[in-house]
Amino acid sequence: MDKLTTPTSRTSTLSSPRFAAGLIGLHWLTLLLIAAVYALMEFKGIYPKGSAGREAMAQWHFTLGMTVLAVTAVRLLVRLGSRRPPIVPPSPRWQELLAGAVTVLLYGLMIALPVLGWLAVSAYGEHVSFWGLTLPSPLAVDKTLAHDIKEVHETLAEAGYWLIGLHAAAALFHHYLLHDNTLVRMLPGRAGAR
């Protein structure tokens, strides 16, 4: 039997250290928020253009998108103050570099997408609502600029599908094929511990 799949190594991998509870909570909250933001835009077509339902979905998309930005700022602060538990058994250097690059890109998207959305809405002459507060408009009305920003926003959102999928697939690959603790480090509670 391979060393990575022995019961002893599997048990030690599952009971190895995890990320701080706050960071784990923020990770899964971010996932739920992002899923909701994407769902609101993907399913907006169930309402006709100009309808109250479609407008409500757009407003919730804006609100939750800005919430992703706020949660990401908190995540970065918590992450800077938290230790990063080691991967057991250790990954090759190329996997660490690839994982680091994907993480940076994901954080970049979680910042860029809400900011671009805010800029586009402002340039269209509309306001972004954030849990009942109306955010200031950082740009003057410019429909051409708004359209261009919206195009970049939508292109990056499409890339987000791929990055999120890659991130999830890598976690599952590490857990089920490499049998390391990559996924377990980010599970809430005592999940996975034996």
PDB file of all heavy atoms in Angstrom, residues 77-92:
ATOM      1  N   LEU A  77      -7.325  40.995   6.313  1.00  0.00           N
ATOM      2  CA  LEU A  77      -6.795  41.388   7.623  1.00  0.00           C
ATOM      3  C   LEU A  77      -6.636  40.176   8.536  1.00  0.00           C
ATOM      4  O   LEU A  77      -5.611  40.020   9.202  1.00  0.00           O
ATOM      5  CB  LEU A  77      -7.712  42.420   8.278  1.00  0.00           C
ATOM      6  CG  LEU A  77      -7.721  43.806   7.625  1.00  0.00           C
ATOM      7  CD1 LEU A  77      -8.784  44.677   8.268  1.00  0.00           C
ATOM      8  CD2 LEU A  77      -6.352  44.456   7.717  1.00  0.00           C
ATOM      9  N   VAL A  78      -7.642  39.309   8.563  1.00  0.00           N
ATOM     10  CA  VAL A  78      -7.572  38.111   9.400  1.00  0.00           C
ATOM     11  C   VAL A  78      -6.461  37.192   8.907  1.00  0.00           C
ATOM     12  O   VAL A  78      -5.698  36.638   9.699  1.00  0.00           O
ATOM     13  CB  VAL A  78      -8.932  37.369   9.424  1.00  0.00           C
ATOM     14  CG1 VAL A  78      -8.822  36.021  10.125  1.00  0.00           C
ATOM     15  CG2 VAL A  78      -9.991  38.235  10.101  1.00  0.00           C
ATOM     16  N   ARG A  79      -6.354  37.070   7.596  1.00  0.00           N
ATOM     17  CA  ARG A  79      -5.325  36.182   7.033  1.00  0.00           C
ATOM     18  C   ARG A  79      -3.917  36.677   7.372  1.00  0.00           C
ATOM     19  O   ARG A  79      -3.019  35.887   7.658  1.00  0.00           O
ATOM     20  CB  ARG A  79      -5.500  36.065   5.523  1.00  0.00           C
ATOM     21  CG  ARG A  79      -4.599  35.025   4.925  1.00  0.00           C
ATOM     22  CD  ARG A  79      -4.969  34.684   3.528  1.00  0.00           C
ATOM     23  NE  ARG A  79      -4.012  33.708   3.036  1.00  0.00           N
ATOM     24  CZ  ARG A  79      -4.280  32.799   2.151  1.00  0.00           C
ATOM     25  NH1 ARG A  79      -5.473  32.721   1.639  1.00  0.00           N
ATOM     26  NH2 ARG A  79      -3.354  31.964   1.747  1.00  0.00           N
ATOM     27  N   LEU A  80      -3.727  37.989   7.338  1.00  0.00           N
ATOM     28  CA  LEU A  80      -2.414  38.541   7.683  1.00  0.00           C
ATOM     29  C   LEU A  80      -2.048  38.268   9.135  1.00  0.00           C
ATOM     30  O   LEU A  80      -0.879  38.101   9.464  1.00  0.00           O
ATOM     31  CB  LEU A  80      -2.384  40.046   7.412  1.00  0.00           C
ATOM     32  CG  LEU A  80      -2.386  40.455   5.941  1.00  0.00           C
ATOM     33  CD1 LEU A  80      -2.522  41.972   5.817  1.00  0.00           C
ATOM     34  CD2 LEU A  80      -1.120  39.979   5.239  1.00  0.00           C
ATOM     35  N   GLY A  81      -3.065  38.204   9.999  1.00  0.00           N
ATOM     36  CA  GLY A  81      -2.804  37.964  11.411  1.00  0.00           C
ATOM     37  C   GLY A  81      -2.901  36.507  11.835  1.00  0.00           C
ATOM     38  O   GLY A  81      -2.819  36.210  13.010  1.00  0.00           O
ATOM     39  N   SER A  82      -3.095  35.615  10.876  1.00  0.00           N
ATOM     40  CA  SER A  82      -3.260  34.195  11.194  1.00  0.00           C
ATOM     41  C   SER A  82      -2.094  33.382  10.644  1.00  0.00           C
ATOM     42  O   SER A  82      -1.494  33.749   9.642  1.00  0.00           O
ATOM     43  CB  SER A  82      -4.551  33.657  10.575  1.00  0.00           C
ATOM     44  OG  SER A  82      -5.667  34.341  11.049  1.00  0.00           O
ATOM     45  N   ARG A  83      -1.873  32.275  11.300  1.00  0.00           N
ATOM     46  CA  ARG A  83      -0.866  31.359  10.781  1.00  0.00           C
ATOM     47  C   ARG A  83      -1.487  30.513   9.668  1.00  0.00           C
ATOM     48  O   ARG A  83      -2.691  30.270   9.657  1.00  0.00           O
ATOM     49  CB  ARG A  83      -0.313  30.461  11.881  1.00  0.00           C
ATOM     50  CG  ARG A  83      -1.354  29.525  12.454  1.00  0.00           C
ATOM     51  CD  ARG A  83      -0.767  28.481  13.380  1.00  0.00           C
ATOM     52  NE  ARG A  83      -1.805  27.594  13.856  1.00  0.00           N
ATOM     53  CZ  ARG A  83      -2.374  26.635  13.126  1.00  0.00           C
ATOM     54  NH1 ARG A  83      -2.006  26.443  11.885  1.00  0.00           N
ATOM     55  NH2 ARG A  83      -3.319  25.865  13.633  1.00  0.00           N
ATOM     56  N   ARG A  84      -0.666  30.082   8.769  1.00  0.00           N
ATOM     57  CA  ARG A  84      -1.108  29.212   7.675  1.00  0.00           C
ATOM     58  C   ARG A  84      -0.657  27.800   8.010  1.00  0.00           C
ATOM     59  O   ARG A  84       0.541  27.512   8.013  1.00  0.00           O
ATOM     60  CB  ARG A  84      -0.484  29.676   6.358  1.00  0.00           C
ATOM     61  CG  ARG A  84      -0.976  28.935   5.163  1.00  0.00           C
ATOM     62  CD  ARG A  84      -0.386  29.571   3.889  1.00  0.00           C
ATOM     63  NE  ARG A  84      -0.754  28.814   2.739  1.00  0.00           N
ATOM     64  CZ  ARG A  84      -0.012  27.848   2.196  1.00  0.00           C
ATOM     65  NH1 ARG A  84       1.161  27.551   2.712  1.00  0.00           N
ATOM     66  NH2 ARG A  84      -0.427  27.195   1.136  1.00  0.00           N
ATOM     67  N   PRO A  85      -1.597  26.895   8.324  1.00  0.00           N
ATOM     68  CA  PRO A  85      -1.184  25.545   8.690  1.00  0.00           C
ATOM     69  C   PRO A  85      -0.521  24.845   7.509  1.00  0.00           C
ATOM     70  O   PRO A  85      -0.911  25.051   6.364  1.00  0.00           O
ATOM     71  CB  PRO A  85      -2.493  24.853   9.081  1.00  0.00           C
ATOM     72  CG  PRO A  85      -3.567  25.662   8.469  1.00  0.00           C
ATOM     73  CD  PRO A  85      -3.050  27.055   8.322  1.00  0.00           C
ATOM     74  N   PRO A  86       0.495  24.035   7.782  1.00  0.00           N
ATOM     75  CA  PRO A  86       1.203  23.369   6.692  1.00  0.00           C
ATOM     76  C   PRO A  86       0.351  22.293   6.029  1.00  0.00           C
ATOM     77  O   PRO A  86      -0.552  21.728   6.653  1.00  0.00           O
ATOM     78  CB  PRO A  86       2.409  22.740   7.402  1.00  0.00           C
ATOM     79  CG  PRO A  86       1.953  22.540   8.801  1.00  0.00           C
ATOM     80  CD  PRO A  86       1.010  23.674   9.100  1.00  0.00           C
ATOM     81  N   ILE A  87       0.649  22.044   4.774  1.00  0.00           N
ATOM     82  CA  ILE A  87       0.020  20.930   4.076  1.00  0.00           C
ATOM     83  C   ILE A  87       0.794  19.674   4.447  1.00  0.00           C
ATOM     84  O   ILE A  87       2.021  19.650   4.378  1.00  0.00           O
ATOM     85  CB  ILE A  87       0.027  21.158   2.548  1.00  0.00           C
ATOM     86  CG1 ILE A  87      -0.849  22.363   2.204  1.00  0.00           C
ATOM     87  CG2 ILE A  87      -0.439  19.907   1.814  1.00  0.00           C
ATOM     88  CD1 ILE A  87      -0.820  22.758   0.746  1.00  0.00           C
ATOM     89  N   VAL A  88       0.052  18.640   4.862  1.00  0.00           N
ATOM     90  CA  VAL A  88       0.664  17.384   5.296  1.00  0.00           C
ATOM     91  C   VAL A  88       0.075  16.254   4.463  1.00  0.00           C
ATOM     92  O   VAL A  88      -1.140  16.078   4.460  1.00  0.00           O
ATOM     93  CB  VAL A  88       0.387  17.126   6.795  1.00  0.00           C
ATOM     94  CG1 VAL A  88       1.010  15.812   7.235  1.00  0.00           C
ATOM     95  CG2 VAL A  88       0.874  18.281   7.651  1.00  0.00           C
ATOM     96  N   PRO A  89       0.909  15.485   3.761  1.00  0.00           N
ATOM     97  CA  PRO A  89       2.327  15.680   3.515  1.00  0.00           C
ATOM     98  C   PRO A  89       2.551  16.881   2.584  1.00  0.00           C
ATOM     99  O   PRO A  89       1.655  17.268   1.856  1.00  0.00           O
ATOM    100  CB  PRO A  89       2.758  14.367   2.851  1.00  0.00           C
ATOM    101  CG  PRO A  89       1.518  13.800   2.258  1.00  0.00           C
ATOM    102  CD  PRO A  89       0.380  14.268   3.113  1.00  0.00           C
ATOM    103  N   PRO A  90       3.743  17.463   2.634  1.00  0.00           N
ATOM    104  CA  PRO A  90       4.024  18.673   1.854  1.00  0.00           C
ATOM    105  C   PRO A  90       3.837  18.471   0.349  1.00  0.00           C
ATOM    106  O   PRO A  90       4.088  17.395  -0.177  1.00  0.00           O
ATOM    107  CB  PRO A  90       5.493  18.978   2.172  1.00  0.00           C
ATOM    108  CG  PRO A  90       5.784  18.252   3.433  1.00  0.00           C
ATOM    109  CD  PRO A  90       4.895  17.045   3.440  1.00  0.00           C
ATOM    110  N   SER A  91       3.384  19.539  -0.312  1.00  0.00           N
ATOM    111  CA  SER A  91       3.198  19.525  -1.765  1.00  0.00           C
ATOM    112  C   SER A  91       4.497  19.904  -2.464  1.00  0.00           C
ATOM    113  O   SER A  91       5.324  20.613  -1.896  1.00  0.00           O
ATOM    114  CB  SER A  91       2.128  20.531  -2.174  1.00  0.00           C
ATOM    115  OG  SER A  91       0.889  20.205  -1.610  1.00  0.00           O
ATOM    116  N   PRO A  92       4.650  19.470  -3.715  1.00  0.00           N
ATOM    117  CA  PRO A  92       5.804  19.931  -4.492  1.00  0.00           C
ATOM    118  C   PRO A  92       5.761  21.452  -4.669  1.00  0.00           C
ATOM    119  O   PRO A  92       4.693  22.062  -4.632  1.00  0.00           O
ATOM    120  CB  PRO A  92       5.643  19.227  -5.843  1.00  0.00           C
ATOM    121  CG  PRO A  92       4.647  18.142  -5.626  1.00  0.00           C
ATOM    122  CD  PRO A  92       3.809  18.538  -4.452  1.00  0.00           C
TER     123      PRO A  92
END
